[in-house]
Amino acid sequence: MELLSSILKNLPDAAALGLVWGIMAIGVYITFKILDIPDMTVDGTFALGGCLVAATVSAGWNPVASTLLSILCGMAAGLVTGILHTKLKIPAILAGILTMLALYSTNLMIMGGKSNIGLSQFGEQKVDTILDSISAIFGMSAKTTNIVLGVVIAALMILILYWFFGTELGSLIRATGINEAMVRAQGGNTEGMKIIGLIIANGFVALSGALVAQIQRYGDVGMGTGTIVIGLASIIIGEVLLGKKSSFKVRLISVFLGSIIYRVIIAVVLLLGFNPNNLKLLTALLVVIALSIPVAREYMMEKKRMKANLKKYEEAE
């Protein structure tokens, strides 16, 4: 009972964190699922958002301005990857790795050579994060603020992306991922679409990193390690639950749902005494299991169909 009580007590925090990480998963979804590009830049971009917020807020910046700067810098990182891939003809996965490596050194320079920086208060009246500002304005607890902010941001992201990818530009980006040759044959600028998609995706990833840094109260150069795997885990878990053939709006919702479930699973296994050093291994196992479920489901359905056909054949004889 005590374990169950602890799990229920930690569920709201895990769900709130899942919503914020879901913004990162949306960025991975844009590149991996819509553009069909395995963009490794996100590992560096996520840390970029967190490191920028930690460094600038600790230096006295307004947290909103710091978060906006993180988004812009994340978009710039996506632009670099896009140029390397489209203009210099470097394979997409290698272009992402090169940008990610460059961002590691960049993040260290941003934080003055330190591997991590904690967010600190500056006087009694000054708040140090967006979450503190909202809590102070509306008189909500930190836990409630995390959940409310996460839900609001998730809803806004889904609405904005659903609208954007329904526009002519958004449809061209989606078409580029589905059939690049067809778009090019129709006179579409596929290189430009890839660059725009990478810019948007990495902007979302940097925003997620900035918000996560404000929730956990520190930024670290290594906080982005394995980000793309976590994003893929969220996407795959969501697809397993709601299906790959759902509408675009439902698929966007499934990404956030998958991220929440992933964070809840992580919270539960940690409460069960799982070694935190093995979380990356657990993430890899979750991705493997999630990918295996559709295959196993199809195998079982095929087996049932074969049995049904065999039964009909026997009855016919």
Side-chain angles (χ1 to χ4, degrees):
M1 286 298 293
E2 185 177 344
L3 177 61
L4 180 61
S5 176
S6 298
I7 291 173
L8 292 174
K9 184 179 179 182
N10 284 276
L11 278 180
D13 288 333
L17 195 57
L19 286 167
V20 175
W21 276 87
I23 302 170
M24 176 276 298
I26 283 289
V28 175
Y29 180 84
I30 291 171
T31 55
F32 191 77
K33 287 292 184 179
I34 295 179
L35 282 176
D36 196 25
I37 293 176
D39 181 26
M40 298 297 294
T41 314
V42 296
D43 279 27
T45 311
F46 186 84
L48 175 65
C51 292
L52 266 171
V53 160
T56 53
V57 170
S58 294
W61 280 47
N62 181 286
V64 175
S66 296
T67 303
L68 291 174
L69 177 63
S70 297
I71 295 171
L72 291 174
C73 290
M75 294 172 75
L79 175 62
V80 171
T81 299
I83 290 173
L84 291 176
H85 173 50
T86 60
K87 304 303 181 184
L88 300 183
K89 306 304 177 184
I90 297 174
I93 190 167
L94 180 56
I97 291 172
L98 291 172
T99 308
M100 176 187 68
L101 288 173
L103 284 174
Y104 184 85
S105 297
T106 303
N107 293 336
L108 278 173
M109 287 188 285
I110 287 170
M111 299 206 297
K114 298 178 182 177
S115 61
N116 59 73
I117 293 179
L119 276 70
S120 56
Q121 296 280 357
F122 298 93
E124 295 181 0
Q125 301 300 320
K126 185 163 184 176
V127 292
D128 62 345
T129 68
I130 292 175
L131 302 175
D132 293 325
S133 301
I134 296 174
S135 296
I137 292 170
F138 295 100
M140 297 186 295
S141 65
K143 184 179 291 188
T144 304
T145 302
N146 289 350
I147 296 172
V148 171
L149 183 63
V151 170
V152 170
I153 290 177
L156 284 174
M157 294 298 102
I158 292 169
L159 289 172
I160 291 170
L161 286 172
Y162 183 69
W163 165 81
F164 174 75
F165 283 106
T167 64
E168 184 178 351
L169 177 60
S171 297
L172 272 173
I173 294 174
R174 293 172 67 181
T176 299
I178 295 170
N179 193 331
E180 184 178 344
M182 182 271 291
V183 175
R184 197 181 298 114
Q186 296 295 322
N189 182 0
T190 56
E191 291 187 353
M193 296 305 102
K194 288 181 180 180
I195 290 174
I196 292 171
L198 286 165
I199 288 172
I200 294 171
N202 282 281
F204 280 125
V205 174
L207 170 61
S208 179
L211 293 175
V212 168
Q214 292 178 64
I215 290 175
Q216 64 188 17
R217 303 284 171 170
Y218 71 90
D220 191 286
V221 291
M223 65 188 289
T225 304
T227 295
I228 190 169
V229 179
I230 295 172
L232 289 174
S234 302
I235 293 167
I236 294 165
I237 290 171
E239 284 185 344
V240 168
L241 291 174
L242 299 181
K244 292 182 179 180
K245 296 182 180 179
S246 305
S247 66
F248 183 66
K249 179 169 59 177
V250 173
R251 290 200 298 272
L252 291 176
I253 295 171
S254 74
V255 174
F256 281 100
L257 182 61
S259 181
I260 292 171
I261 292 172
Y262 171 80
R263 282 294 145 189
V264 169
I265 292 171
I266 295 298
V268 170
V269 296
L270 287 176
L271 287 171
L272 290 173
F274 191 81
N275 188 342
N277 293 327
N278 298 327
L279 283 180
K280 301 300 181 186
L281 174 62
L282 175 63
T283 300
L285 290 174
L286 284 174
V287 172
V288 171
I289 292 169
L291 285 171
S292 302
I293 289 174
V295 178
R297 186 186 297 163
E298 183 61 30
Y299 173 77
M300 295 302 294
M301 290 177 66
E302 183 63 29
K303 199 171 181 180
K304 285 181 180 179
R305 283 194 294 267
M306 289 177 65
K307 284 184 177 180
N309 292 335
L310 181 61
K311 187 177 181 180
K312 286 180 181 179
Y313 176 76
E314 290 174 347
E315 288 175 352
E317 288 189 338

